[in-house]
Amino acid sequence: MVQPLKSKSGGSAPGSPVSGRAWLMLALCTVGFAVNFWAWALLSPLGPRFKDSLDLSSFEQSLLVAVPVVVGSLGRVPVGALTDRFGGRVMFPVVSAATIVPVLYLGLAGHSSLPALLAGGFFLGIGGTAFAVGVPVVNTWFPPERRGLAIGVFGAGMGGTAISALTTVKLVDANGMSSPFLITAAVLATYAVAAALLLRDAPGRTVPTEPLARRLAAAVRLPITWQAAALYAVAFGGYVAFSVYLPTYLKTGYGLTQADAANRMAGFVLLAVAMRPFGGWLSDRMGPTRVLSGSLAVVVTAAVTQSFTPALAPLGTIAFLAMAASLGAASGAAFALVALLTPAGQVGSVTGVVGAAGGLGGFLPPLVMGSLYGEYGTYAAGLALLAVVATAALAYTLTAVRAAVEGGEPERGTGSRGDHRTASTTA
């Protein structure tokens, strides 16, 4: 049975105008995502410094920057389900306020030993759960034909990692270790208050009444959950992996200074951030499978090129920037797929699982890269593995994912642009 997407998503009817209030809510959610991601990424730029000052091994340094990633990723599952129930108006201030505690701990006391840093990094992962709050909020404020763009714009908040990359080391050098953490805590507190006062959930949003465990069980039974999770693990996971490990890679593999490596990582992040809304926008017009296929093909090519460790100027730089652009666009397309096929009242739960997969996709590569470099003295094998995984994701997109999308909604651009429909997944 085919029915309008409105009956599933709880959003506005297809073709309806987007209100100014919807754009305001999108802006508030994007800022909140960026601020929390800024906090989430505070340890990454300082990884090389902690390696030298605490005499860490390559694996220990990789573990230090990976712990917030895995905690923030797994935490998205319950946080997404809680957002379905309580809404973003409650959850965004709560997540932002809770993130202040580990930020202050790390800045004031928790940076003198590896166990202290790991403990602080564990709770710093709370900031990474903000993604699972914003997607369901944005989804309900926008009509189906605009959700790819809207969620892509929200996803640009991942640029908070660029703020961390550009400012953390400079602030530590100028004012001491505590300064970037104190500043971030103040920004988080300001945002938590602003969100509590200004953020609103969409009128008439679907509020689930079933228990949390039952809703999560229903979400994991949906095919779209696992299809999007697999693709997002590669796309966003690749972005996260490079955003946290690229300073170490460039410093170790190319002999760059810590500041130069951090600046280049910021350029990688900014390009990926800029391409995420573009990937969502393009998915609204061409269909998400086309965008995913093209993006993953570029990732394969760039990863193979970089596995030979070419000179940074120009080939290495081109390869990394191509990966940044493609991973950003693919991340936007993956959540355009979620917005297209997810039933009412389950967007938060599905987002939590998919977001967790993306974060976990970023957890393993730094550990693998650090271990392989420690064993062989080269990053070539790690980049070759990325090419293999991206090739598998490309094949999956062209087969199972394409069949699922075509079975639910015609690829946009191949049929009527106004026919934004999808197969019902309700019982």
Side-chain angles (χ1 to χ4, degrees), residues 19 136 165 167 186 209 254 258 263 296 350 375 404 422 424:
S19 68
T167 63
T209 58
Y254 286 95
Q258 182 180 350
N263 288 337
L296 290 168
V350 172
E375 183 70 22
T422 184
S424 172

Side-chain angles (χ1 to χ4, degrees), residues 369-392:
M369 295 284 277
S371 297
L372 289 174
Y373 186 84
E375 183 70 22
Y376 302 109
T378 178
Y379 291 113
L383 287 153
L385 284 174
L386 172 61
V388 170
V389 171
T391 299

Side-chain angles (χ1 to χ4, degrees), residues 139-337:
N139 193 73
T140 55
W141 273 106
F142 284 80
E145 68 273 15
R146 304 293 288 277
R147 286 185 189 140
L149 172 62
I151 294 176
V153 170
F154 167 74
M158 67 187 189
T161 56
I163 300 175
S164 179
L166 290 170
T167 63
T168 302
V169 173
K170 293 176 182 176
L171 286 169
V172 169
D173 288 340
N175 303 300
M177 181 61 69
S178 64
S179 58
F181 296 91
L182 294 175
I183 291 170
T184 306
V187 175
L188 282 166
T190 301
Y191 177 76
V193 172
L197 294 175
L198 300 175
L199 191 61
R200 297 292 183 271
D201 296 299
R205 76 178 184 92
T206 301
V207 180
T209 58
E210 293 183 325
L212 175 63
R214 186 176 299 175
R215 285 187 282 121
L216 288 175
V220 299
R221 288 196 297 268
L222 294 172
I224 178 58
T225 302
W226 298 109
Q227 291 160 357
L231 296 172
Y232 200 60
V234 177
F236 186 70
Y239 160 79
V240 170
F242 278 112
S243 68
V244 301
Y245 198 71
L246 197 55
T248 299
Y249 177 99
L250 293 173
K251 186 174 184 293
T252 305
Y254 286 95
L256 301 185
T257 64
Q258 182 180 350
D260 191 12
N263 288 337
R264 290 173 185 267
M265 185 270 272
F268 180 97
V269 168
L270 289 172
L271 180 57
V273 166
M275 288 299 293
R276 183 158 181 161
F278 179 76
W281 173 82
L282 203 60
S283 295
D284 285 338
R285 284 150 181 78
M286 297 177 60
T289 58
R290 286 189 177 85
V291 179
L292 284 162
S293 300
S295 299
L296 290 168
V298 174
V299 171
V300 172
T301 303
V304 169
T305 300
Q306 190 57 35
S307 69
F308 292 98
T309 318
L312 272 181
L315 194 55
T317 299
I318 292 172
F320 275 122
L321 292 180
M323 276 195 282
S326 301
L327 292 170
S331 297
F335 265 93
L337 194 67

Side-chain angles (χ1 to χ4, degrees), residues 333-419:
F335 265 93
L337 194 67
V338 171
L340 188 69
L341 298 177
T342 304
Q346 292 182 280
V347 174
S349 299
V350 172
T351 295
V353 177
V354 175
L360 289 174
F363 172 71
L364 289 176
L367 298 179
V368 172
M369 295 284 277
S371 297
L372 289 174
Y373 186 84
E375 183 70 22
Y376 302 109
T378 178
Y379 291 113
L383 287 153
L385 284 174
L386 172 61
V388 170
V389 171
T391 299
L394 174 59
Y396 184 59
T397 300
L398 293 172
T399 54
V401 175
R402 172 179 284 176
V405 173
E406 291 178 349
E409 176 172 317
E411 281 281 276
R412 293 171 192 178
T414 62
S416 171
R417 284 282 305 279
D419 186 20

